[in-house]
Structure formats: structure tokens, C-alpha cells
């Protein structure tokens, strides 16, 4: 059996009891380590599980899936995923490959950022499409996410923005020469995301959002040192929310009174928060 086991968002203790039983009984245990990361090292997982853990990077998961699935018809293999197993399409690909080989699969779900973002006080059914923000370069500044936000904005819905991480990414100039040399890990911050969003608006000029649009920065959701800051996009371009992982929520125009009251508690500046609120938001009781 191939088990896809959700780990939750923070540390080694977020795994479910059922997931822990699977891990402790599996022949091999892999940790997917590129779509997201836990806030603790692999060694802490191994100490808690009492089992060695094999780190599975992008190359292994996407190109070497046969290695992961080897023997899984006869023994149990656990594939650990930060958050929920199906938070990334890569894991769907792995299940489809297992099906092709006649390997049965089971999924052990867990909390993901898609549900845990409710810690902001925003109601989950008031969220629209989730988008991803990648690191811009001098020559590559994709803005397809902007069109999805535009659709959400038209309906007054909140937008969860997932921020880019770079873990074991090959340096392009070395890849071109056939050398696998990797760049240091990088994790996008709320401030970087806010700056890039405003840069895209300046380029597109469609008025989907602007410097005075309200947003919430979220850092290390689910961890003891979780941090939330609400403010305008302009304000968020300057915030320091500490270590990864970060997410951002662009507030929808049609926001419930209770949502507004909850958010205001962690506003960076309540005066500017309320001024922005009065200018462009309508509470839905």
C-alpha cells in the first residue's frame, strides 16, 4: 500500500494518530520537501516517529517516482506531505502512477493552509480562487494570478495568495551546462508579495486593487509563534513577519461585520485600517 500522509502545518506533533500509526509500521518513509516545508528539521520528525525519513525533493518525486513506489505492492510505503496530501497536484500524479502499477493507495488527511487560514477570522466560504505568487525576476513577471484575483474581486470574495518557496532549485546557468548546482533556499515574505502585487497593478492598471486595499499577512500559521498583521497593501510592503512560511489574504469588498471586527484586532494601524475600510468596503451583516 502507498499511504499519503498529511503532516499538518507546524511541527512533528501535528501528524494525526492514524498517520503516526502508518508511519511507524511502514517499510519506508518519504518526506516531500519542495511544495512546502515543516517548521522543524527532519531529525525532529525521525526522533518523534522512531523511524528514518528519506527526503524526497522535486527531482525524486517528479522523475523518480518508481523508486518511491518500488515494492509498494508487497510492503507499506508512507509518503509524507506538509499540510494535506492533495494540496499540490504533484501528489495526484503520484497516485495515478501507483494506479498504473496496480498499487493500492490510501490518504490520511490533515489541516492545510487552505483551511487553517480561517485563523484570520475570515469565513472560509467567503473565499474565492486561491492564487500563487512566484518570485519575479528582471525578465519574468507573470501576472496570470491577477486575472484570478480580478474574478474574485468582482464577486466581493477574499483571495488567499500562496507565496513562492525555492528549495533545491537548480541554478539555470549551471543546468544549461549539465551541472546540478542548487541555489540556496528562498522563501517569499508578505512584504515581497505585497510589493509584487502593487507592481502588477501598476503595470496592468485595471484597478483590481491598489495601495489602500486591505490585506492580511499570515506567518507560520498553526505554530505557537503564528503571526497575523492586517493593513493596507502599501503598509504590508514594509512589514517584517519573521521566518517562513508566509501567506497573504486580499480582503474581499463584501465582508461580514464579524470578520471586520475580528481583523481589526491585529491591524497594524487601526486609524488607517478604518479609513481604508470606510473608503472601499461594505460590511454584509
Amino acid at each position: 500500500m502507498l499511504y499519503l500522509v498529511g503532516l499538518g502545518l507546524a511541527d512533528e506533533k501535528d501528524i494525526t494518530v492514524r498517520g503516526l500509526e502508518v508511519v511507524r509500521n511502514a517499510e519506508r518513509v518519504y518526506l516531500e520537501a519542495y511544495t512546502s516545508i515543516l517548521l522543524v528539521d527532519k531529525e525532529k520528525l525521525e526522533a518523534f516517529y522512531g523511524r528514518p525519513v528519506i527526503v524526497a525533493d522535486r527531482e525524486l518525486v517528479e522523475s523518480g517516482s518508481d523508486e518511491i513506489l518500488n515494492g509498494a505492492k508487497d510492503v507499506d510505503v508512507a509518503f509524507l506531505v506538509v499540510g494535506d496530501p492533495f494540496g499540490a497536484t504533484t501528489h495526484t500524479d503520484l497516485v495515478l502512477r501507483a494506479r498504473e502499477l496496480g498499487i493500492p493507495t490510501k490518504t490520511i488527511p490533515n489541516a492545510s493552509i487552505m483551511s487553517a487560514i480561517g485563523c484570520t477570522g475570515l469565513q472560509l466560504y467567503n473565499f474565492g480562487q486561491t492564487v500563487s505568487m512566484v518570485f519575479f525576476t528582471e525578465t519574468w513577471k507573470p501576472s496570470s494570478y491577477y486575472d484570478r484575483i480580478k474574478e474574485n474581486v468582482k464577486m466581493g470574495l477574499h483571495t488567499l495568495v500562496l507565496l513562492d518557496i525555492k528549495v533545491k532549485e537548480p541554478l539555470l546557468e549551471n543546468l544549461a551546462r549539465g551541472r546540478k548546482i542548487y541555489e540556496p533556499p528562498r522563501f517569499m515574505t508578505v512584504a515581497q508579495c505585497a510589493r509584487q502585487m502593487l507592481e502588477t497593478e501598476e503595470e496592468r492598471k485595471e484597478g483590481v486593487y491598489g495601495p489602500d486595499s486591505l490585506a492580511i499577512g499570515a506567518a507560520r500559521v498553526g505554530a505557537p509563534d503564528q503571526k497575523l498583521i492586517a493593513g493596507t497593501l502599501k503598509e504590508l510592503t514594509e512589514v517584517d513577519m519573521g521566518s517562513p512560511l508566509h501567506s497573504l489574504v486580499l480582503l474581499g469588498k463584501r465582508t461580514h461585520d464579524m470578520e471586520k471586527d475580528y481583523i481589526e484586532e491585529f491591524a497594524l494601524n487601526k486609524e488607517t485600517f478604518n479609513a481604508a475600510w470606510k473608503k472601499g468596503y461594505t460590511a454584509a451583516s
Side-chain angles (χ1 to χ4, degrees):
M1 179 79 70
L2 171 68
Y3 287 93
L4 281 79
V5 181
L7 296 183
L9 295 171
D11 58 31
E12 72 278 13
K13 295 181 181 178
D14 280 357
I15 192 171
T16 64
V17 173
R18 189 152 60 103
L20 186 58
E21 289 174 347
V22 167
V23 169
R24 287 180 173 169
N25 289 305
E27 182 77 12
R28 298 192 309 279
V29 180
Y30 293 91
L31 171 65
E32 190 268 88
Y34 69 90
T35 58
S36 189
I37 59 163
L38 276 184
L39 305 181
V40 294
D41 295 331
K42 174 177 79 87
E43 288 71 24
K44 274 203 169 183
L45 297 184
E46 293 178 323
F48 188 69
Y49 301 156
R51 297 295 315 286
V53 174
I54 304 164
V55 174
D57 59 18
R58 181 188 295 271
E59 185 177 349
L60 177 58
V61 178
E62 295 186 347
S63 303
S65 60
D66 286 349
E67 179 181 332
I68 296 171
L69 298 174
N70 183 39
K73 278 186 179 180
D74 305 308
V75 299
D76 290 339
V77 174
F79 184 75
L80 312 183
V81 181
V82 177
D84 187 79
F86 291 117
T89 55
T90 296
H91 312 129
T92 306
D93 290 342
L94 186 61
V95 170
L96 292 175
R97 178 63 179 145
R99 286 180 185 172
E100 289 175 2
L101 298 173
I103 298 169
T105 64
K106 280 189 179 178
T107 303
I108 314 296
N110 209 321
S112 76
I113 190 61
M114 306 283 281
S115 57
I117 200 64
C119 69
T120 57
L122 299 176
Q123 297 167 7
L124 294 179
Y125 53 76
N126 285 340
F127 278 78
Q129 302 167 89
T130 297
V131 302
S132 297
M133 176 68 75
V134 301
F135 283 107
F136 285 179
T137 69
E138 288 298 319
T139 57
W140 189 61
K141 299 180 181 181
S143 62
S144 58
Y145 77 90
Y146 183 88
D147 299 308
R148 304 289 79 77
I149 293 178
K150 184 177 181 179
E151 292 170 359
N152 291 345
V153 166
K154 283 183 178 178
M155 294 184 285
L157 300 174
H158 312 309
T159 301
L160 171 61
V161 185
L162 303 177
L163 310 192
D164 201 4
I165 71 171
K166 298 290 187 187
V167 180
K168 203 175 179 183
E169 291 286 327
L171 291 165
L172 293 180
E173 60 269 26
N174 288 302
L175 197 60
R177 297 186 178 98
R179 296 182 299 186
K180 291 184 179 179
I181 300 176
Y182 302 98
E183 61 178 285
R186 288 190 295 151
F187 305 93
M188 184 179 288
T189 66
V190 164
Q192 287 174 300
C193 178
R195 287 195 292 269
Q196 290 189 182
M197 288 177 69
L198 291 176
E199 185 177 348
T200 300
E201 178 59 60
E202 183 64 26
E203 176 70 24
R204 297 281 294 263
K205 292 183 168 59
E206 296 179 37
V208 172
Y209 51 77
D212 292 332
S213 295
L214 291 174
I216 303 169
R220 300 170 301 284
V221 170
D225 63 343
Q226 170 181 296
K227 187 172 186 178
L228 302 172
I229 293 179
T232 65
L233 277 178
K234 183 178 180 181
E235 288 176 326
L236 292 185
T237 63
E238 302 296 333
V239 297
D240 179 359
M241 300 198 66
S243 59
L245 294 170
H246 294 187
S247 302
L248 182 144
V249 180
L250 185 67
L251 203 65
K253 298 290 185 180
R254 197 179 59 198
T255 302
H256 196 281
D257 287 323
M258 287 193 299
E259 292 179 299
K260 188 260 183 183
D261 291 343
Y262 196 100
I263 298 163
E264 189 176 358
E265 181 62 28
F266 44 84
L268 191 63
N269 182 310
K270 290 188 178 182
E271 185 176 335
T272 56
F273 176 89
N274 283 299
W277 174 267
K278 290 175 183 176
K279 183 188 295 184
Y281 295 81
T282 304
S285 300

